[in-house]
Amino acid sequence: MTVRVGVIGVGMIGQDHIRRLTGVLAGARVVAVADVDPERARQVAGQAIGVTVHATGLDVIADDDVDAVLVASWGATHEEYVVACIQAGKPVFCEKPLAPSGEAAGRIVDAEVAAGRRLVQLGFMRRYDPGYLALREVVAGGSIGAALLVHCAHRNPTVQPHYVADMAITDTAVHEFDVVRWLLDEEITAVTVHRPRPNRHGGDVQDPLLLLLETESGAFVDLETSVNIRYGYDIRTEVVGEDGTVELGPVAPVVVRREGIQGSPIAADWQERFEKAYDVELQHWIDSVVAGTAVGPSTWDGYAAAVVSDAGLTSLHRGGRVPVALRDKPGLYLKDR
Ligand code: NAP
């Protein structure tokens, strides 16, 4: 079976996923697109044969020739499209964040619970990165004992002009909110955001931030977000256990020595660093559509990350420690890990 995919939102990552679905992965074909900018949609559709351009994302979902939908529009638009997919019974891959608030994400949980089956895979691609998978295997295997602390850094060389202070929480740190829950297999219970001395490259954006997350078991997670660090895109995670530690290894496959210096290349951006993870996550999605059961990061994971983001924003703006209040986990998501 070839899965016929409709894509809503053909900006940066939408186009990258179309390239992946069309030329890299097996088992899928892009048959329809829509974008709030119709000219952009026409341009993207024109690069392949047999791609229909629809006026709206809802038209993509309603298209009988579309088996499954990929949502890559702005986060604030995800709720409408993901709920419409669930109501139409169509599998949907939704880029992160699931929604801009815990309240909006909760409505998507309600829709999927009402449908009685998982239809959503969320784009938390770090779960498919070979380094993170190896890290999790060590933590879950128990050889370093119970996890007590996690040290994380999320560093970008620069950000786009539309980046505002809140995005350090909702767009940047949200990846760690998910990956920490997944690594430790527990929920985050409180967030405190500190504002260190600002980077002179940051302009109006408060940068860096230092977040302290607390988890159900009492583990503490410190997370640095630096989005104007200039030297490269650098993601770090180290778990400190009772008997040892485990951390992401160097990503570069080679060490270069020249002119008196030894070094390894650093990724320029997130596309380069996580290229393999994006490929694996999307192949996983196609395979799950064929199999008829959604797998991977779920609506619940998107909801939990959104509620942690809410708490992070409150702490960023009002200061202090903010508890995270999740609703009870519906049975639909209990067997996910
Ligand atoms: P982008 O380049 O701005 O692309 C978004 C596209 O969606 C634009 O073409 C935009 O049009 C269009 N759009 C906006 N509202 C729409 C609507 N209601 N219906 C249809 N199309 C609409 O942004 P991006 O960087 O690709 O990000 C898109 C999403 O992917 C975001 O949620 C982002 O957080 C996520 N993302 C995830 C990762 C990851 O690591 N997993 C990486 C990058 C992005 P206009 O520009 O004309 O408004």
Side-chain angles (χ1 to χ4, degrees), residues 106-217:
R107 290 192 288 268
I108 305 177
V109 170
D110 291 339
E112 199 172 35
V113 168
R117 63 187 174 120
R118 274 197 58 188
L119 283 156
V120 181
Q121 179 179 327
L122 198 63
F124 282 133
M125 79 297 173
R126 287 193 188 182
R127 296 183 182 209
Y128 297 94
D129 174 66
Y132 272 113
L133 283 163
L135 194 64
R136 183 171 183 253
E137 205 174 300
V138 172
V139 173
S143 60
I144 63 163
L148 310 174
L149 298 165
V150 187
H151 304 300
C152 303
H154 188 144
R155 298 181 183 157
N156 286 60
T158 55
V159 281
Q160 292 173 316
H162 68 260
Y163 194 95
V164 293
D166 285 6
M167 290 171 76
I169 307 282
T170 58
D171 252 52
T172 302
V174 71
H175 278 294
E176 273 80 11
F177 298 161
D178 180 66
V179 94
V180 161
R181 296 178 53 253
W182 173 77
L183 272 178
L184 303 186
D185 195 20
E186 57 177 327
E187 299 295 355
I188 293 165
T189 53
V191 185
T192 312
V193 179
H194 298 279
R195 300 157 165 259
R197 175 182 168 179
N199 185 329
R200 72 183 193 284
H201 302 300
D204 295 337
V205 175
Q206 169 63 45
D207 175 54
L209 294 179
L210 187 62
L211 285 74
L212 186 65
L213 314 177
E214 299 168 44
T215 73
E216 285 171 314
S217 69

Side-chain angles (χ1 to χ4, degrees), residues 7-17 34-38 40-41 55-58 71-78 80-81 93-98 122-126 160 162 167 170-171 174-175 233 270-271 274 278 281:
V7 178
I8 302 174
V10 292
M12 185 170 53
I13 202 156
Q15 290 183 39
D16 200 36
H17 283 324
D35 195 284
V36 78
D37 177 345
R40 185 178 302 144
T56 71
L58 294 178
V71 176
S73 49
W74 291 353
T77 67
H78 293 177
E80 179 187 14
Y81 297 137
F93 178 91
C94 178
E95 259 311 336
K96 63 83 188 145
L98 178 63
L122 198 63
F124 282 133
M125 79 297 173
R126 287 193 188 182
Q160 292 173 316
H162 68 260
M167 290 171 76
T170 58
D171 252 52
V174 71
H175 278 294
Y233 181 79
W270 47 270
Q271 278 150 306
F274 286 112
Y278 288 111
E281 80 166 347

